[in-house]
DNA sequence: ACGCCATATAGGACTTGTCCTATATTCGGG
DNA sequence: CCCGAATATAGGACAAGTCCTATATGGCGT
């Protein structure tokens, strides 16, 4: 349901085409909301059918025509309603934890290898987020608050990556010298 | 795809019915892998059709019959393959971050209210995890390593909840006294 | 010269998960 | 005495997302 709201959120900043929307996602929101290209276009079609946005075709020579989507009042209203609605409880899935949960048959050494894999991935994510933050942040909006919030989502990713690494390291040392497990 | 692996993981510890599987999920894995009851049974059917498990019907007087599922060799093999496969990159969705990203139109006060809502939810999650950890942990397995890993998934949840709270508090104070935003 | 990438949109097939309902019985609370 | 919860399994309808392919052209590298 939320891809629609994201689409409305972007369109509320300025009219965009599906292609630009895809770019916007991948450069600013990919780390917390990956958007499939097909799903994006379908969502745009549906939003238009529902009267939340409308589109104008911009003809181009030697390039496929662009469809520029603009948000309509019902779209703005839907966006505002979503922003004001109570937060739904988190039900995210964590494939890594699932794997760890059942990893006992790998033995201690195997589990440690798993933790190390995960640690590398977390480090990689950290550097990705750092470079995203360092590179000229694409200014989606002129509003200072919007820019601040955009940056905050990056900070969130970094905070969680750090927490993940710390947790991994603690677990690893717990498994490496199992003295304290015997309580 | 992974619910299947979770089912195999549980069935590898001991033969279980769909109902018991549901209980096992909700008491030990719900915080990182919610399992819908319907989906569970469907997954069991499919696993049996694929020859990964088999079932025997246990007749009961005055209760619906139970179908006890046992893992077969191909199931164990599939589980082992999954455990040994390379970690796929994380592509989890974070509805809260999406919302925050587009929340500028709420104004500073509105955003702070959003952060406070989120903070309460994180605190609540923490206490839930604490009580889960405190309550006699259902021993799924006799293996010490398995118990340790089961506990570690709870620790992970706590670590991330703490990180979330810290991040929220920092963001909140940044929004409250905006001196350092003017760099 | 050839292939790949960027631009731009779109549909089909499929998987996974969610929500709701159905069925049947027993036990405990108010 | 009635209502709901626990035990136990299952199907239908639907929503959302993933992956692959199609279409069309211009530019860049090798």
């Amino acid at each position: 349901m939320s891809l629609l709201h994201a689409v409305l959120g972007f369109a509320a900043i300025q009219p965009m085409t599906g292609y630009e929307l895809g770019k916007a996602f991948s450069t600013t929101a990919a780390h917390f909301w990956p958007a499939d290209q097909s799903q994006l276009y379908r969502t745009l079609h549906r939003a238009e059918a529902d009267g939340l946005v409308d589109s104008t075709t911009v003809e181009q020579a030697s390039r496929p025509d662009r469809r520029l989507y603009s948000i309509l009042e019902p779209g703005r209203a839907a966006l505002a309603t979503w922003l004001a609605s109570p937060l739904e409880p988190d039900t995210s899935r964590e494939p890594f934890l699932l794997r760890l949960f059942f990893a006992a048959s790998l033995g201690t050494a195997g589990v440690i290898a798993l933790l190390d894999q995960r640690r590398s991935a977390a480090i990689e994510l950290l550097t990705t987020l750092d470079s995203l933050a360092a590179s000229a942040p694409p200014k989606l909006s002129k509003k200072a608050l919007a820019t601040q919030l955009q940056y905050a989502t990056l900070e969130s990713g970094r905070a969680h990556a750090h927490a993940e690494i710390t947790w991994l390291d603690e677990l690893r040392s717990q498994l490496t010298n199992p003295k304290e497990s015997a309580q």
Side-chain angles (χ1 to χ4, degrees), chain A:
Chain A
M1 245 327 157
S2 279
L3 183 60
L4 171 65
H5 298 121
V7 163
L8 294 176
F10 278 120
I13 298 171
Q14 63 170 272
M16 296 179 98
T17 68
Y19 191 79
E20 287 165 349
L21 224 25
K23 289 279 162 193
F25 265 105
S26 64
T27 57
T28 67
H31 54 107
F32 59 87
W33 206 273
D36 181 76
Q37 178 261 355
S38 263
Q39 192 64 13
L40 245 185
Y41 282 104
R42 269 192 269 261
T43 301
L44 282 169
H45 294 327
R46 177 138 189 265
E48 186 167 26
D50 290 349
L52 303 175
V53 298
D54 72 350
S55 69
T56 55
T57 301
V58 182
E59 288 178 37
Q60 295 196 118
S62 78
R63 283 270 178 263
D65 293 349
R66 311 164 80 224
R67 302 199 67 180
L68 194 61
Y69 288 89
S70 306
I71 196 166
L72 300 177
E73 262 323 300
R76 280 187 201 279
L79 185 59
T81 302
W82 173 63
L83 284 174
S85 67
L87 289 176
E88 73 271 34
D90 247 347
T91 56
S92 67
R93 299 200 149 76
E94 303 287 346
F96 177 72
L97 290 185
L98 187 68
R99 195 126 134 197
L100 187 65
F101 191 87
F102 290 114
S105 67
L106 294 177
T108 304
V111 170
I112 286 176
L114 198 62
L115 299 181
D116 289 345
Q117 256 188 87
R118 177 71 170 178
R119 196 181 196 281
S120 299
I123 295 281
E124 204 182 323
L125 174 63
L126 259 187
T127 63
T128 303
L129 293 176
D130 282 346
S131 69
L132 266 181
S135 76
K139 38 185 167 183
L140 292 173
S141 168
K142 287 144 287 182
K143 289 192 180 180
L145 181 56
T147 304
Q148 217 170 353
L149 295 181
Q150 187 186 344
Y151 185 77
T153 63
L154 281 175
E155 265 313 304
S156 169
R158 300 222 305 227
H160 282 283
H162 275 126
E164 181 83 4
I165 290 167
T166 303
W167 166 74
L168 285 169
D169 288 347
E170 268 166 35
L171 180 56
R172 193 187 201 285
S173 74
Q174 199 189 116
L175 293 175
T176 308
N177 57 336
K179 283 150 203 174
E180 47 212 319
S181 84
Q183 179 230 23

